[in-house]
Amino acid sequence: MSEVEIIQHRQMEGLSLFVNTVELRTPHSHSEWELIWLLDGVLSISCGTSSRLLQPGQLALFAPNEVHEIQKTTGSGTFLCLQLAPALCSGLGDAQQRLALSEHYPHDILPPEELKAVCTCLALAANAYFVRSPLYPLYSLGQCCLALHRLLTCLPVR
């Protein structure tokens, strides 16, 4: 059985960026897009009927309402997490509700230069968000949308 996670966007409406260290996050879903960038450790990520080990530097992407689980293999895993409300992706229109990811692990599909560009967008967004630099909501949202655009352009979706 999975639980529904209610995401609270405390700093900026519709967007959360945070660093987290987990040992276990039970099966859950939420209405936001979620992108995990593993910084340290190794995590087992389960989505649907498949499980994968995520290594440092690798990404996992989940569409809104996809049930997923995160657990440590040894020690714990630290990751940067982006959670983005679908309302902020209005450019996808109604297709967003029907969009399903065929691949949740970009490192299996994307060329290295695209992965680097996605990670650069995430790092820039997180830095502005954490520091709260001038106009950071606009900048952070823009970088997050660019990262999601790069991913959805390259990943197989249905």
Side-chain angles (χ1 to χ4, degrees):
M1 182 171 161
S2 67
E3 60 187 62
V4 175
E5 179 180 4
I6 306 299
I7 308 295
Q8 295 185 7
H9 303 281
R10 290 186 171 94
Q11 187 170 324
M12 191 177 146
E13 186 63 36
L15 175 69
S16 292
L17 281 161
F18 57 91
V19 175
N20 196 7
T21 300
V22 299
E23 292 187 4
L24 173 66
R25 179 61 182 99
T26 57
H28 66 285
S29 66
H30 37 75
S31 61
E32 286 80 4
W33 286 94
E34 184 168 64
L35 180 58
I36 293 171
W37 181 14
L38 188 61
L39 305 173
D40 186 52
V42 177
L43 292 175
S44 175
I45 308 282
S46 299
C47 185
T49 59
S50 68
S51 282
R52 291 285 302 270
L53 290 180
L54 205 62
Q55 305 291 331
Q58 293 181 333
L59 304 166
L61 176 66
F62 304 103
N65 304 310
E66 275 191 303
V67 176
H68 53 284
E69 178 180 24
I70 305 167
Q71 62 182 346
K72 69 175 183 169
T73 56
T74 57
S76 57
T78 301
F79 56 88
L80 174 68
C81 185
L82 159 65
Q83 293 172 326
L84 186 63
L88 295 180
C89 304
S90 60
L92 293 173
D94 292 337
Q96 184 171 203
Q97 300 304 318
R98 300 183 307 273
L99 189 64
L101 297 171
S102 300
E103 177 61 57
H104 295 91
Y105 308 99
H107 55 275
D108 288 346
I109 305 290
L110 270 65
E113 62 275 3
E114 281 299 312
L115 280 171
K116 182 178 179 184
V118 169
C119 292
T120 298
C121 287
L122 288 174
L124 291 170
N127 184 64
Y129 185 89
F130 296 146
V131 172
R132 296 185 184 202
S133 58
L135 301 175
Y136 80 89
L138 182 62
Y139 186 80
S140 293
L141 177 60
Q143 290 298 322
C144 291
C145 288
L146 285 172
L148 188 59
H149 176 268
R150 285 184 176 278
L151 291 169
L152 294 179
T153 300
C154 296
L155 290 175
V157 296
R158 58 184 192 282

